[in-house]
Amino acid sequence: MNAWTFARLALVFLWLATALVSVTSGQQIGYDILSSGGIDGVLADFCVYGGAALDLLLGLWLLTGMAPLACLRVQGAVVLLYSLLLSLVDPGFWAHPFGPLTKNLPVLALILLLHQRQARGPWFD
């Protein structure tokens, strides 16, 4: 397996694991974060399950290799959107020791590197 394939599969894992954790062991954490931002009830359910569904779809899309440049662009936009929304709900997450927001910077860098590599030719070689 080359480094590009490993990088792509690492992102697949990130999206799929996040989707799974969001609706299992981390679900209450998601609800607590949303509640601290004044988001409760049906809207909180939509955010938790909708976010998990979006993460699942992104992971599966990246895994298929279909329209990879579009997939990477959407991923970058979603990471930026998630970062913006979480920053608005609780900017303290930028200083969190486990880096729920700061880790998005290297994730964006990885997405950008994969995008640049894919633009030069398929990463499946």
Side-chain angles (χ1 to χ4, degrees), residues 4-71:
W4 298 109
T5 300
F6 181 75
R8 182 175 62 90
L9 292 176
L11 278 177
V12 168
F13 174 78
L14 175 71
W15 290 112
L16 296 180
T18 302
L20 179 64
V21 169
S22 294
V23 294
T24 58
S25 62
Q27 185 177 36
Q28 190 57 51
I29 296 168
Y31 279 113
D32 291 344
I33 291 168
L34 292 167
S35 180
S36 74
I39 301 168
D40 292 304
V42 174
L43 183 55
D45 291 337
F46 175 78
C47 290
V48 168
Y49 288 102
L54 180 57
D55 293 351
L56 176 66
L57 289 173
L58 287 172
L60 293 175
W61 184 9
L62 186 59
L63 187 61
T64 69
M66 295 177 6
L69 290 174
C71 179

Side-chain angles (χ1 to χ4, degrees), residues 6 9 11 13 17 27 38 59 67 73 81 97 100 102 104 111 119 122-123:
F6 181 75
L9 292 176
L11 278 177
F13 174 78
Q27 185 177 36
R73 289 176 189 139
L81 177 64
T102 55
N104 288 345
I111 291 168
W123 52 36

